[in-house]
Amino acid sequence: MTVQTVRTQPFSDQKPGTSGLRKQVPTFQQPHYLENFIQSIFDSLEGAQGQTLVVGGDGRYYNRQAIQTILKMAAANGFGRVLVGQGGILSTPAASCVIRKHQAFGGIILSASHNPGGPEGDFGVKYNTGNGGPAPEKVTNAIFQRSQVIDEYKILDASDVDLDRIATHTLGNTRVEVIDSVTDYAALMESLFDFDQIQQFITSGNFRLCMDSLHAVTGPYAKAIFERRLNAPAGTVQNGEPLEDFGGGHPDPNLVYAKDLVKVMFGEDAPDFGAASDGDGDRNMILGRNFFVTPSDSLAVLAANATLVPGYRQGLAGIAR
């Protein structure tokens, strides 16, 4: 395995926002485009040598190919360890959890949130810092400034890593660990919420729920937590397999795009509770039986009752929109 230094030229359109750099897939597939942006991220970081990087995404088209490139570039740029979600899957909240739990230097999340996927769909790359949150403007500005003058990037000449099997690999001097995408996040949720009490409530027979993952990233998390840990009936999670094109759908949790969930919740013998999540799992929609809860009201209810949850008895430091 040798480190290759590849000559390149800047692209003028690589200015990231707080949600990273979002473009259509063909734009990212241009020669050097993804590599330029990743190298610009690495060049903008101080003290990353030998540190841990987290990598994962929402499973959309080009996710796997991009991850292979990022792993080889991370190795070429001196990261000591990379944690990557199995199958390339990590929801945005789960990536934040993994970054903080493993005291990683930061993480690269591949997602275009609720935007459509597929070969002609959208793709995105964002960098999260060591606190698990999105890179602040100071960092994104530095990344953009570097992207405007970049003239080379480093990448390891190596075979692809098997992303589908939990295992540890070596790329040059870098240890790449393919981790279970759900385990750390599920453990965090169980530390915050009383899973035993929720399980008793769900299995009492007096409460039914339906979770629609829209063929996006939250399917594995919802199945592991709701159906296996909390013993909700099989089939509670619908559209639970992440697909590169989101099954031809649009992973935006609203009354238009979450039509399968709406049909269930407004149909005969509807469950008591319904929810849908967006492409990368950081936004949701809540429904009751024949009832829609606006996102602002949903957040208000959560905030008002937060102190009833074991992990938040001391109150909240803040809430996000």
Side-chain angles (χ1 to χ4, degrees):
M1 298 182 188
T2 57
V3 174
Q4 295 180 328
T5 299
V6 181
R7 301 293 297 177
T8 188
Q9 293 180 334
F11 293 88
S12 63
D13 62 345
Q14 293 196 329
K15 185 173 179 60
T18 55
S19 297
L21 181 68
R22 292 184 185 175
K23 303 288 180 182
Q24 290 186 308
V25 169
T27 298
F28 272 102
Q29 289 177 320
Q30 296 176 87
H32 310 306
Y33 192 90
L34 172 66
E35 292 87 344
N36 274 23
F37 188 67
I38 297 301
Q39 188 66 57
S40 296
I41 293 175
F42 293 159
D43 287 349
S44 303
L45 304 178
E46 295 182 4
Q49 291 291 310
Q51 298 280 1
T52 297
L53 181 72
V54 173
V55 179
D58 61 14
R60 66 177 59 235
Y61 188 86
Y62 197 55
N63 189 73
R64 285 174 172 267
Q65 298 94 315
I67 286 176
Q68 297 292 352
T69 296
I70 293 167
L71 294 179
K72 295 167 189 175
M73 291 188 67
N77 280 273
F79 280 91
R81 179 187 183 211
V82 182
L83 304 178
V84 56
Q86 186 177 17
I89 294 291
L90 275 180
S91 73
T92 292
S96 175
C97 167
V98 172
I99 289 170
R100 288 178 285 118
K101 178 174 180 177
H102 296 274
Q103 299 181 316
F105 189 84
I108 294 177
I109 304 172
L110 307 175
S111 172
S113 188
H114 58 277
N115 294 7
E120 302 301 320
D122 290 343
F123 191 76
V125 180
K126 57 185 175 182
Y127 179 73
N128 279 25
T129 58
N131 67 2
E137 188 174 5
K138 177 182 178 181
V139 175
T140 57
N141 283 342
I143 294 170
F144 176 62
Q145 292 302 320
R146 178 57 186 158
S147 76
Q148 297 308 286
V149 296
I150 191 171
D151 58 2
E152 64 182 31
Y153 61 83
K154 298 177 182 179
I155 188 167
L156 194 69
D157 181 14
S159 300
D160 287 352
V161 170
D162 182 358
L163 298 177
D164 293 313
R165 186 171 61 90
I166 295 175
T168 299
H169 307 267
T170 300
L171 287 179
N173 296 320
T174 302
R175 189 168 79 250
V176 177
E177 300 176 26
V178 180
I179 63 171
D180 186 282
S181 304
V182 176
T183 298
D184 288 337
Y185 180 76
L188 175 62
M189 292 300 101
E190 189 158 10
S191 75
L192 298 174
F193 300 92
D194 190 333
F195 272 23
D196 291 336
Q197 188 173 12
I198 296 172
Q199 179 183 345
Q200 291 175 16
F201 184 60
I202 289 176
T203 57
S204 67
N206 299 319
F207 179 81
R208 293 182 297 135
L209 61 98
C210 180
M211 170 69 196
D212 192 336
S213 292
L214 301 179
H215 286 303
V217 78
T218 63
Y221 299 88
K223 288 181 179 179
I225 294 173
F226 290 123
E227 294 186 359
R228 294 198 288 275
R229 175 59 181 87
L230 299 176
N231 293 133
T236 293
V237 179
Q238 62 182 24
N239 300 321
E241 180 185 355
L243 299 176
E244 289 190 336
D245 65 348
F246 306 119
H250 192 147
D252 193 353
N254 60 41
L255 295 174
V256 174
Y257 296 122
K259 57 184 181 297
D260 290 347
L261 177 65
V262 172
K263 183 177 180 180
V264 170
M265 297 305 299
F266 283 79
E268 292 185 11
D269 193 30
D272 302 281
F273 177 91
S277 54
D278 75 330
D280 64 331
D282 62 1
R283 236 171 12 93
N284 61 62
M285 175 180 72
I286 303 297
L287 296 174
R289 184 182 295 156
N290 296 305
F291 185 73
F292 166 64
V293 184
T294 67
S296 55
D297 286 345
S298 167
L299 179 60
V301 170
L302 288 168
N305 293 281
T307 54
L308 301 177
V309 178
Y312 295 103
R313 291 260 162 78
Q314 303 305 312
L316 298 171
I319 55 176
R321 61 180 174 83

